[in-house]
Amino acid sequence: MEDRTTRPVKTPEPLQEQDPERQRGTPVGRRLVLGMLGLGAAGVAVGGTVQDKLDSVLASVTSKDPTGLTGLLPGGGGFRFYSVSNSIPHRGEADYRLTIGGLVDKPVSYRLSDLRALPQVRMVRDVQCVTGWRVPKTAFSGVRLSTLLDAAGVRAKGAAVHFTCFDGLYTESLTLDQARRSDMLVALTMNDKPVTDAHGGPVRLYAAPMYFYKSAKWLSGITVTPDVQPGYWEHYGYDVDGWVGKSNGRHDDPTA
């Protein structure tokens, strides 16, 4: 859920300073931005444990920063932090559930421990945002989406998959053929650590060959549907088929 725009466009460009989500609340001041830059650098120096905690703090500040500076903080790993709900939601071991339903034979609800017990797959790919930034060689691991769909038993009329998120706003979709690809993951770790709240944890979608807006954060529901239901940003002009380098009028290198 990393990609944003403010009006329907066929070729989205990096216009974060115009994003209405960045205009909500009280904008952060220059002194706070500079302080957070120092804090981010300190997180890099101290190590991963501190940096994980900083992610959520930096993400919260970024959502109220009209300058865009905090989106490039040291320690963010090259990622920009976006949330369409202007908040960083949290679910943990006790209250996280991932539901599989719709046109399936066996609807099911998974806890984190259930997902961890399933066969895990690790992939290392570049992450490409439709607004232009790229984070090379990012490792994600988790359960193949096809594994969950096969376990639920997709009915004959099922042709697409709709994703919902526990921020209460974000949605995404894939065709069933896309969802069954081997490079579509329900991800539990990022760079070999649990996915943090700011990065969409504890569970997010990772659609490796697609622009990062297709990789829905804070994943809570997978629903098999008879047709594709466009996701949150598709209603603002992003392509439903978000292949890197082959959609949205962009010509980026594939995320291989």
Side-chain angles (χ1 to χ4, degrees):
M1 289 197 284
E2 265 62 30
D3 298 295
R4 312 159 64 114
T5 186
T6 57
R7 60 183 186 278
V9 291
K10 281 298 181 182
T11 310
E13 295 297 336
L15 298 174
Q16 282 83 8
E17 71 278 7
Q18 297 179 11
D19 197 308
E21 298 296 336
R22 290 187 180 273
Q23 305 306 317
R24 297 178 183 174
T26 302
V28 298
R30 179 176 179 271
R31 182 175 299 176
L32 179 56
V33 170
L34 294 176
M36 295 304 287
L37 284 168
L39 185 61
V44 175
V46 172
T49 301
V50 172
Q51 190 59 56
D52 286 348
K53 294 179 180 178
L54 284 175
D55 276 353
S56 290
V57 176
L58 301 181
S60 296
V61 173
T62 299
S63 69
K64 298 178 177 64
D65 174 22
T67 71
L69 290 176
T70 54
L72 296 172
L73 281 169
F79 286 86
R80 294 174 184 246
F81 299 105
Y82 302 135
S83 169
V84 300
S85 62
N86 199 23
S87 66
I88 308 300
H90 174 77
R91 294 287 186 278
E93 200 75 37
D95 59 354
Y96 180 78
R97 297 292 185 275
L98 175 63
T99 61
I100 317 289
L103 296 174
V104 298
D105 295 325
K106 294 174 286 185
V108 65
S109 177
Y110 290 96
R111 298 168 297 180
L112 285 173
S113 58
D114 299 326
L115 292 170
R116 294 191 195 106
L118 294 172
Q120 304 291 298
V121 175
R122 185 177 185 270
M123 293 190 299
V124 180
R125 301 282 186 88
D126 291 358
V127 167
Q128 178 70 53
C129 177
V130 75
T131 58
W133 54 265
R134 175 178 285 231
V135 182
K137 296 182 179 180
T138 303
F140 283 93
S141 65
V143 183
R144 282 199 172 102
L145 180 56
S146 60
T147 297
L148 299 178
L149 293 173
D150 289 345
V154 176
R155 295 179 181 174
K157 293 184 178 179
V161 182
H162 182 68
F163 304 96
T164 51
C165 307
F166 61 79
D167 69 343
L169 288 176
Y170 206 84
T171 59
E172 253 309 330
S173 65
L174 295 169
T175 68
L176 188 59
D177 286 343
Q178 292 168 352
R180 289 194 181 282
R181 287 176 56 107
S182 63
D183 49 9
M184 299 290 179
L185 292 186
V186 172
L188 305 174
T189 77
M190 174 180 160
N191 289 330
D192 301 314
K193 296 184 293 184
V195 181
T196 63
D197 291 348
H199 284 293
V203 178
R204 69 172 298 157
L205 185 66
Y206 179 49
M210 294 183 165
Y211 285 106
F212 212 32
Y213 66 90
K214 299 295 292 186
S215 295
K217 287 182 176 179
W218 307 305
L219 186 63
S220 62
I222 298 173
T223 304
V224 178
T225 59
D227 48 31
V228 171
Q229 300 176 16
Y232 184 93
W233 287 115
E234 280 91 41
H235 290 293
Y236 290 89
Y238 281 42
D239 286 353
V240 173
D241 294 321
W243 304 108
V244 173
K246 298 180 181 179
S247 63
N248 294 290
R250 295 188 60 89
H251 302 285
D252 304 288
D253 292 335
T255 49

